[in-house]
Amino acid sequence: VQLQASGGGLAQAGGSLRLVCAASGRTYDGHAMAWFRQAPGKERDFVAAIRWNSHNTYYADSVRGRFTISRDNAKNTVYLQMNSLKPEDTAVYYCAATANVYSGSYFQAKTFAYWGQGTQVTVSS
């Protein structure tokens, strides 16, 4: 499975961006998908995750109510709509996918077997 993330860029505080992650290769609807982010000098942190059926979503407390994760299984694509952006949202954002059979917490990076290359999001105050 290959993941290609896009949609990052520069936004002002209070603005919006939408990230897109396109999956290719041997993809399955059974993958759970997620977004993580990593700011300079910090660890990679969980942002949001979505199960294959799209009915179960999970968010970090810091983004709940501002970010929305969604997916289109027909297009093998997952989205992260980011609203009310804050300067502390500045980071490189990575999309990730589990293997078709997986275990572990969605909040942990080690649960995800496949990673995209990252897209930079910069929020100015």
Side-chain angles (χ1 to χ4, degrees):
V1 176
Q2 292 80 47
L3 302 176
Q4 180 71 39
S6 61
L10 178 64
Q12 290 189 334
S16 298
L17 287 172
R18 188 177 79 153
L19 304 184
V20 180
C21 178
S24 61
R26 296 195 66 182
T27 60
Y28 304 92
D29 286 350
H31 295 296
M33 304 287 290
W35 291 93
F36 285 74
R37 67 186 182 186
Q38 188 167 19
K42 296 188 177 181
E43 295 184 350
R44 190 169 297 189
D45 291 331
F46 170 79
V47 176
I50 185 167
R51 293 187 64 183
W52 68 272
N53 61 7
S54 300
H55 296 306
N56 299 93
T57 56
Y58 309 84
Y59 296 95
D61 289 342
S62 59
V63 307
R64 187 176 290 111
R66 300 188 298 121
F67 291 10
T68 302
I69 189 170
S70 61
R71 67 189 293 169
D72 185 336
N73 286 344
K75 296 181 178 179
N76 289 329
T77 300
V78 64
Y79 307 94
L80 185 69
Q81 179 66 43
M82 305 186 295
N83 298 330
S84 302
L85 283 163
K86 303 176 180 180
E88 50 264 44
D89 294 320
T90 296
V92 177
Y93 284 70
Y94 297 90
C95 64
T98 63
N100 193 37
V101 179
Y102 63 95
S103 62
S105 168
Y106 297 128
F107 296 88
Q108 294 182 314
K110 65 182 181 180
T111 301
F112 297 86
Y114 307 103
W115 291 84
Q117 84 288 1
T119 184
Q120 176 70 47
V121 171
T122 302
V123 183
S124 62
S125 58

